[in-house]
Amino acid sequence: MNPILRLFFLANEGLAFFLELAALAALARWGYTRDIGRGWSIGLAVAAPLAAAVLWGMFAAPKATFDVPLAVQIAVKVLVFGSATLALYASGWRTGALWFGGIVLLNNALAVYYRSRG
């Protein structure tokens, strides 16, 4: 891989990590903003991102616990990022949800491109 392409690849990988953290934050915000009582909303604010992080670590992370087919990895990514996008939308950040979803799509498309280039 040429140096310029490698630089863009590394920047895209850094963005991917930021988006993963942002997805967890979006799920936490969604949980906290539910009108289900203070204790329950705090519990949901902890449980939703925790469940996403466990799924990610087991199936989608670079050093995932289980070696699964690419289709399973993609399904987990769609579930986590899709849930985070919907969580942003449901918690009132409609424009932010659209931007987040679009950036996630672009980031993943670039990741596929860079990996296909070696």
Side-chain angles (χ1 to χ4, degrees):
M1 187 181 298
N2 78 42
I4 300 296
L5 192 60
R6 176 113 177 107
L7 180 64
F8 280 112
F9 169 76
L10 292 174
N12 196 57
E13 291 295 304
L15 176 60
F17 180 68
F18 172 76
L19 291 171
E20 292 161 16
L21 294 177
L24 298 177
L27 291 168
R29 176 180 164 67
W30 170 80
Y32 188 74
T33 59
R34 297 305 89 203
D35 190 17
I36 54 176
R38 186 153 177 85
W40 287 105
S41 65
I42 290 172
L44 192 55
V46 171
L50 182 61
V54 168
L55 271 175
W56 194 274
M58 290 174 63
F59 303 110
K63 295 182 180 179
T65 306
F66 300 104
D67 188 23
V68 296
L70 182 60
V72 174
Q73 292 175 9
I74 291 171
V76 170
K77 288 182 178 189
V78 167
L79 178 67
V80 171
F81 285 129
S83 297
T85 302
L86 292 173
L88 285 172
Y89 190 86
S91 61
W93 289 10
R94 287 163 176 78
T95 304
L98 294 174
W99 275 101
F100 179 76
I103 293 169
V104 164
L105 287 173
L106 178 62
N107 175 259
N108 281 284
L110 287 172
V112 168
Y113 170 76
Y114 293 135
R115 289 193 177 103
S116 72
R117 302 280 302 194

